[in-house]
Amino acid sequence: SHSNILDIECYCGFDTKEVFLPTMKRILTEKSKENAKIIVIPCVDYYTALVVDNYDSFDGLIANKFYTPELMRMMFNKDKFYELCEKYGMVYPKTYVITPENRMDPPFIGKMDFPFIMKPENSNATEYLHVDFEDKRKVYYLYSYEEYFKVIKAMNGTDYKGNLVVQ
């Protein structure tokens, strides 16, 4: 497609630091020759993480500022996000964090009504994006324990070791 406001370029392995960093430096350097300011708007969390973690490497070529790596990690990980909500008195749904160790014996059994949602603590993290299992989703709307355990059994057959959030 043709656009007057953006260029679309695809790079194999762009979600890895080894490809992302030199590619972004090259693109930013090239674009800075024809543009006074370059604004970077990452489309997913892991690209944002790559920009934030390597921001100083871009030699001032990015006009917009990003938050600190520490704050980014707190905002991206839903279990940490809800801790922030609690700390600042913000209203949020009853939340349980399910660790890989307690997936088969979750702490919410008998404490929540159906339906409830379940999601990875960071569904855009590379770790979750790169695993594959039956019926994989960013968010699950679950109507029974049978559905919950079906997803968990499929997930446990992968390398995904992140926490899950249930609300």
Side-chain angles (χ1 to χ4, degrees):
S1 72
H2 301 284
S3 172
N4 292 326
I5 62 169
L6 59 96
D7 297 321
I8 298 173
E9 299 178 22
C10 298
Y11 300 93
C12 187
F14 194 66
D15 61 340
T16 65
K17 184 176 179 178
E18 296 76 26
V19 175
F20 180 84
L21 196 53
T23 303
M24 277 298 288
K25 281 184 175 183
R26 181 184 53 75
I27 292 169
L28 291 168
T29 301
E30 288 173 8
K31 297 296 181 185
S32 70
K33 294 174 185 170
E34 57 194 65
N35 298 286
K37 291 185 178 186
I38 300 170
I39 297 173
V40 173
I41 305 171
C43 60
V44 293
D45 291 349
Y46 61 87
Y47 288 149
T48 302
L50 285 167
V51 171
V52 168
D53 289 340
N54 297 287
Y55 189 82
D56 292 338
S57 300
F58 299 125
D59 304 320
L61 294 169
I62 299 175
N64 50 317
K65 300 291 183 201
F66 288 83
Y67 32 70
T68 65
E70 296 77 24
L71 182 57
M72 175 191 65
R73 301 231 177 337
M74 289 177 72
M75 299 299 286
F76 283 4
N77 289 322
K78 291 170 183 65
D79 55 343
K80 303 292 184 215
F81 175 77
Y82 296 117
E83 286 176 17
L84 284 176
C85 290
E86 186 74 28
K87 179 179 178 179
Y88 292 104
M90 299 171 71
V91 178
Y92 63 95
K94 179 66 178 163
T95 303
Y96 290 91
V97 176
I98 311 303
T99 65
E101 296 77 28
N102 71 4
R103 287 180 187 167
M104 294 304 290
D105 187 23
F108 64 84
I109 288 189
K111 297 178 183 175
M112 293 183 69
D113 295 325
F114 292 101
F116 58 81
I117 65 164
M118 179 176 71
K119 54 192 171 187
E121 67 183 346
N122 184 350
S123 58
N124 288 316
T126 302
E127 179 186 10
Y128 187 73
L129 291 173
H130 289 262
V131 296
D132 189 38
F133 58 91
E134 184 180 346
D135 200 30
K136 177 183 163 189
R137 303 179 200 169
K138 288 182 75 164
V139 177
Y140 295 88
Y141 296 90
L142 301 171
Y143 294 88
S144 70
Y145 290 121
E146 180 181 306
E147 289 181 31
Y148 168 81
F149 285 112
K150 181 180 178 186
V151 172
I152 292 302
K153 285 176 184 173
M155 188 180 293
N156 282 349
T158 72
D159 292 332
Y160 180 64
K161 303 300 180 223
N163 291 339
L164 301 168
V165 174
V166 171
Q167 299 175 312

Coordinates of all heavy atoms in Angstrom, one line a residue, residues 14-65:
F14 N 13.4 -8.9 13.6 CA 13.4 -7.5 14.2 C 13.0 -7.5 15.7 O 13.3 -6.5 16.4 CB 12.4 -6.6 13.4 CG 12.5 -5.2 13.6 CD1 13.6 -4.5 13.3 CD2 11.4 -4.5 14.2 CE1 13.7 -3.1 13.5 CE2 11.5 -3.1 14.4 CZ 12.7 -2.4 14.1
D15 N 12.4 -8.6 16.2 CA 12.0 -8.6 17.6 C 13.2 -9.1 18.5 O 13.0 -9.3 19.7 CB 10.8 -9.5 17.8 CG 11.0 -10.9 17.4 OD1 11.9 -11.2 16.6 OD2 10.2 -11.8 17.8
T16 N 14.4 -9.2 17.9 CA 15.5 -9.5 18.7 C 16.5 -8.3 18.8 O 16.6 -7.5 17.8 CB 16.3 -10.7 18.1 OG1 16.9 -10.3 16.8 CG2 15.4 -11.9 18.0
K17 N 17.2 -8.2 19.9 CA 18.1 -7.0 20.0 C 19.2 -7.0 19.0 O 19.5 -5.9 18.5 CB 18.7 -7.1 21.4 CG 19.6 -5.9 21.7 CD 20.1 -5.9 23.1 CE 21.0 -4.7 23.4 NZ 21.5 -4.7 24.8
E18 N 19.6 -8.2 18.5 CA 20.7 -8.3 17.6 C 20.3 -7.7 16.2 O 21.2 -7.2 15.5 CB 21.1 -9.8 17.4 CG 21.7 -10.4 18.6 CD 20.7 -10.8 19.7 OE1 19.5 -11.0 19.4 OE2 21.0 -10.8 20.9
V19 N 19.0 -7.8 15.8 CA 18.6 -7.2 14.6 C 18.0 -5.8 14.8 O 18.2 -4.9 14.0 CB 17.5 -8.2 13.9 CG1 16.9 -7.5 12.7 CG2 18.1 -9.5 13.6
F20 N 17.2 -5.7 15.9 CA 16.5 -4.4 16.1 C 17.5 -3.2 16.3 O 17.3 -2.2 15.6 CB 15.7 -4.6 17.4 CG 15.0 -3.3 17.8 CD1 13.7 -3.0 17.2 CD2 15.5 -2.4 18.7 CE1 13.0 -1.9 17.6 CE2 14.8 -1.3 19.0 CZ 13.5 -1.0 18.5
L21 N 18.5 -3.4 17.1 CA 19.4 -2.2 17.4 C 20.1 -1.7 16.2 O 20.0 -0.5 15.9 CB 20.3 -2.6 18.5 CG 21.1 -1.5 19.2 CD1 20.1 -0.4 19.7 CD2 21.9 -2.0 20.4
P22 N 20.8 -2.5 15.4 CA 21.5 -1.9 14.2 C 20.5 -1.5 13.1 O 20.8 -0.5 12.5 CB 22.4 -3.1 13.7 CG 21.9 -4.3 14.3 CD 21.2 -3.9 15.6
T23 N 19.4 -2.2 13.0 CA 18.4 -1.8 12.0 C 17.8 -0.4 12.4 O 17.6 0.5 11.5 CB 17.3 -2.8 11.9 OG1 17.9 -4.1 11.5 CG2 16.3 -2.5 10.8
M24 N 17.4 -0.2 13.6 CA 16.8 1.0 14.1 C 17.8 2.2 13.9 O 17.5 3.3 13.5 CB 16.3 0.9 15.5 CG 14.9 0.3 15.6 SD 13.6 1.3 14.8 CE 13.4 2.7 15.9
K25 N 19.1 1.9 14.3 CA 20.1 3.0 14.2 C 20.2 3.4 12.8 O 20.3 4.6 12.5 CB 21.4 2.5 14.7 CG 21.5 2.5 16.2 CD 22.9 2.1 16.6 CE 23.2 2.2 18.1 NZ 24.5 1.9 18.5
R26 N 20.3 2.4 11.8 CA 20.4 2.7 10.4 C 19.2 3.5 9.9 O 19.3 4.6 9.3 CB 20.6 1.5 9.6 CG 20.7 1.7 8.1 CD 20.8 0.4 7.3 NE 19.7 -0.5 7.5 CZ 18.5 -0.3 7.0 NH1 18.2 0.8 6.3 NH2 17.5 -1.2 7.2
I27 N 18.0 3.1 10.2 CA 16.8 3.8 9.8 C 16.7 5.2 10.4 O 16.4 6.1 9.7 CB 15.5 3.0 10.2 CG1 15.5 1.7 9.4 CG2 14.2 3.8 10.0 CD1 14.4 0.7 9.9
L28 N 17.0 5.3 11.7 CA 16.9 6.6 12.3 C 17.9 7.6 11.7 O 17.7 8.8 11.4 CB 17.1 6.5 13.8 CG 16.0 5.9 14.6 CD1 16.4 5.5 16.0 CD2 14.8 6.7 14.6
T29 N 19.1 7.1 11.4 CA 20.2 7.9 10.8 C 19.8 8.4 9.4 O 19.9 9.5 9.1 CB 21.5 7.1 10.8 OG1 21.9 6.8 12.1 CG2 22.6 8.0 10.2
E30 N 19.2 7.4 8.6 CA 18.8 7.8 7.3 C 17.6 8.8 7.3 O 17.7 9.8 6.6 CB 18.3 6.5 6.5 CG 19.4 5.6 6.1 CD 18.9 4.3 5.5 OE1 17.7 4.1 5.3 OE2 19.8 3.4 5.3
K31 N 16.6 8.5 8.2 CA 15.5 9.4 8.2 C 15.8 10.8 8.8 O 15.1 11.8 8.5 CB 14.3 8.8 9.0 CG 13.8 7.5 8.4 CD 13.2 7.7 7.1 CE 12.7 6.4 6.5 NZ 12.1 6.5 5.2
S32 N 16.8 10.9 9.6 CA 17.2 12.1 10.2 C 17.8 13.1 9.2 O 17.8 14.3 9.4 CB 18.2 12.0 11.4 OG 19.4 11.5 10.9
K33 N 18.2 12.6 8.1 CA 18.8 13.5 7.0 C 17.7 14.3 6.3 O 17.9 15.3 5.8 CB 19.5 12.6 6.0 CG 20.8 12.0 6.6 CD 21.4 11.1 5.6 CE 22.6 10.4 6.3 NZ 23.2 9.3 5.5
E34 N 16.4 13.7 6.3 CA 15.3 14.4 5.6 C 14.2 14.9 6.6 O 13.3 15.5 6.1 CB 14.7 13.4 4.6 CG 14.2 12.1 5.2 CD 14.0 11.1 4.1 OE1 14.9 10.6 3.5 OE2 12.8 10.7 4.0
N35 N 14.4 14.6 7.9 CA 13.3 15.0 8.9 C 14.0 15.7 10.1 O 14.9 15.1 10.6 CB 12.5 13.8 9.3 CG 11.8 13.1 8.2 OD1 10.8 13.6 7.7 ND2 12.3 12.0 7.7
A36 N 13.5 16.8 10.5 CA 14.0 17.5 11.6 C 13.8 16.7 12.9 O 14.7 16.7 13.8 CB 13.4 18.9 11.8
K37 N 12.7 16.1 13.0 CA 12.4 15.3 14.2 C 11.8 13.9 13.8 O 11.0 13.9 12.9 CB 11.4 16.0 15.1 CG 11.9 17.2 15.8 CD 10.9 17.8 16.7 CE 11.5 19.0 17.4 NZ 10.6 19.6 18.5
I38 N 12.2 12.9 14.5 CA 11.6 11.6 14.3 C 10.9 11.1 15.5 O 11.5 11.1 16.6 CB 12.8 10.6 13.9 CG1 13.5 11.1 12.7 CG2 12.2 9.2 13.7 CD1 14.8 10.3 12.4
I39 N 9.6 10.8 15.4 CA 8.8 10.3 16.5 C 8.6 8.8 16.3 O 8.2 8.3 15.2 CB 7.5 11.0 16.5 CG1 7.7 12.5 16.8 CG2 6.6 10.4 17.6 CD1 6.4 13.3 16.7
V40 N 9.0 8.0 17.3 CA 8.9 6.6 17.2 C 7.7 6.1 18.0 O 7.6 6.5 19.2 CB 10.2 5.9 17.7 CG1 10.0 4.4 17.8 CG2 11.4 6.2 16.9
I41 N 6.8 5.4 17.4 CA 5.6 4.9 18.1 C 5.6 3.3 17.9 O 5.1 2.8 16.9 CB 4.3 5.5 17.5 CG1 4.4 7.0 17.6 CG2 3.1 4.9 18.2 CD1 3.3 7.7 16.8
P42 N 6.1 2.6 18.9 CA 6.1 1.2 18.8 C 4.7 0.6 18.8 O 3.8 1.1 19.4 CB 6.9 0.7 20.0 CG 7.6 1.9 20.5 CD 6.7 3.1 20.1
C43 N 4.5 -0.5 18.0 CA 3.2 -1.0 17.8 C 2.8 -2.1 18.9 O 1.7 -2.4 19.0 CB 3.0 -1.6 16.4 SG 4.1 -2.8 16.0
V44 N 3.8 -2.7 19.5 CA 3.6 -3.7 20.6 C 4.6 -3.5 21.7 O 5.6 -2.8 21.6 CB 3.7 -5.1 20.0 CG1 2.6 -5.4 19.1 CG2 5.0 -5.4 19.4
D45 N 4.3 -4.1 22.9 CA 5.1 -3.9 24.1 C 6.5 -4.3 23.9 O 7.4 -3.6 24.4 CB 4.5 -4.7 25.2 CG 3.1 -4.1 25.7 OD1 2.8 -3.0 25.3 OD2 2.5 -4.7 26.5
Y46 N 6.8 -5.4 23.2 CA 8.2 -5.8 23.1 C 9.0 -4.9 22.3 O 10.2 -4.7 22.5 CB 8.4 -7.3 22.7 CG 7.8 -7.7 21.4 CD1 8.6 -7.6 20.2 CD2 6.6 -8.3 21.3 CE1 8.1 -8.0 19.0 CE2 6.1 -8.7 20.0 CZ 6.9 -8.5 18.9 OH 6.4 -8.9 17.7
Y47 N 8.4 -4.2 21.3 CA 9.2 -3.2 20.5 C 9.4 -2.0 21.5 O 10.5 -1.4 21.4 CB 8.5 -2.7 19.3 CG 8.5 -3.8 18.2 CD1 7.4 -3.8 17.3 CD2 9.5 -4.6 18.0 CE1 7.4 -4.8 16.2 CE2 9.5 -5.6 17.0 CZ 8.5 -5.6 16.1 OH 8.5 -6.5 15.1
T48 N 8.4 -1.6 22.2 CA 8.6 -0.5 23.2 C 9.7 -0.9 24.2 O 10.6 0.0 24.4 CB 7.3 -0.3 24.0 OG1 6.2 0.0 23.1 CG2 7.4 0.9 25.0
A49 N 9.8 -2.1 24.6 CA 10.8 -2.5 25.5 C 12.2 -2.4 24.9 O 13.2 -2.0 25.5 CB 10.6 -4.0 26.0
L50 N 12.3 -2.8 23.6 CA 13.6 -2.7 22.9 C 14.0 -1.2 22.8 O 15.1 -0.9 22.9 CB 13.5 -3.3 21.5 CG 13.5 -4.9 21.6 CD1 13.1 -5.4 20.2 CD2 14.9 -5.4 21.9
V51 N 13.0 -0.3 22.5 CA 13.3 1.1 22.4 C 13.8 1.6 23.7 O 14.8 2.3 23.9 CB 12.2 1.9 21.8 CG1 12.4 3.4 21.9 CG2 11.9 1.6 20.4
V52 N 13.0 1.4 24.8 CA 13.3 1.9 26.1 C 14.6 1.3 26.6 O 15.5 2.1 27.1 CB 12.2 1.5 27.1 CG1 12.6 1.7 28.6 CG2 10.9 2.2 26.8
D53 N 14.9 0.1 26.5 CA 16.1 -0.5 26.9 C 17.3 -0.1 26.2 O 18.5 -0.1 26.7 CB 16.1 -2.1 26.9 CG 15.1 -2.6 27.9 OD1 14.8 -2.0 28.9 OD2 14.7 -3.8 27.8
N54 N 17.2 0.4 25.0 CA 18.3 0.9 24.1 C 18.2 2.3 23.8 O 18.9 2.8 22.9 CB 18.3 0.0 22.9 CG 18.5 -1.4 23.2 OD1 19.6 -1.8 23.6 ND2 17.5 -2.2 23.1
Y55 N 17.4 3.1 24.4 CA 17.1 4.5 24.1 C 18.4 5.3 24.0 O 18.6 6.1 23.0 CB 16.2 5.1 25.1 CG 15.7 6.5 24.7 CD1 14.6 6.6 23.9 CD2 16.3 7.6 25.3 CE1 14.1 7.9 23.5 CE2 15.8 8.9 24.9 CZ 14.8 9.0 24.0 OH 14.3 10.3 23.7
D56 N 19.3 5.2 24.9 CA 20.6 5.9 24.9 C 21.5 5.6 23.6 O 22.3 6.4 23.2 CB 21.4 5.7 26.1 CG 20.7 6.3 27.4 OD1 19.8 7.3 27.2 OD2 21.0 5.9 28.5
S57 N 21.2 4.4 23.1 CA 22.0 4.0 21.9 C 21.6 4.7 20.6 O 22.3 4.6 19.6 CB 21.9 2.5 21.7 OG 22.3 1.8 22.8
F58 N 20.5 5.4 20.6 CA 20.0 6.0 19.4 C 20.5 7.5 19.3 O 20.0 8.2 18.4 CB 18.5 6.0 19.4 CG 17.9 4.6 19.4 CD1 17.0 4.1 20.3 CD2 18.4 3.7 18.4 CE1 16.6 2.8 20.3 CE2 17.9 2.4 18.4 CZ 17.0 1.9 19.3
D59 N 21.4 7.9 20.1 CA 22.2 9.1 20.0 C 21.3 10.4 19.8 O 21.5 11.2 18.9 CB 23.1 9.0 18.8 CG 24.1 7.9 18.9 OD1 24.6 7.6 20.0 OD2 24.4 7.2 17.9
G60 N 20.1 10.4 20.5 CA 19.3 11.6 20.4 C 18.5 11.7 19.1 O 17.9 12.7 18.8
L61 N 18.4 10.6 18.3 CA 17.7 10.7 17.0 C 16.2 10.5 17.2 O 15.4 10.8 16.3 CB 18.2 9.6 16.1 CG 19.7 9.7 15.6 CD1 20.2 8.5 15.0 CD2 19.8 10.9 14.7
I62 N 15.7 10.1 18.4 CA 14.3 9.9 18.6 C 13.8 11.2 19.4 O 14.3 11.5 20.5 CB 14.0 8.7 19.4 CG1 14.4 7.4 18.6 CG2 12.5 8.6 19.8 CD1 14.3 6.1 19.4
A63 N 12.8 11.9 18.8 CA 12.4 13.1 19.4 C 11.5 12.9 20.7 O 11.6 13.7 21.6 CB 11.6 14.0 18.4
N64 N 10.7 11.9 20.7 CA 9.8 11.6 21.9 C 10.6 10.9 23.0 O 11.5 10.1 22.7 CB 8.6 10.9 21.5 CG 8.8 9.7 20.6 OD1 9.6 9.7 19.7 ND2 8.0 8.6 21.0
K65 N 10.1 11.1 24.2 CA 10.8 10.5 25.3 C 10.0 9.3 25.7 O 8.8 9.2 25.4 CB 10.8 11.5 26.5 CG 11.6 12.8 26.3 CD 13.0 12.5 26.1 CE 13.8 13.8 25.9 NZ 15.1 13.5 25.4

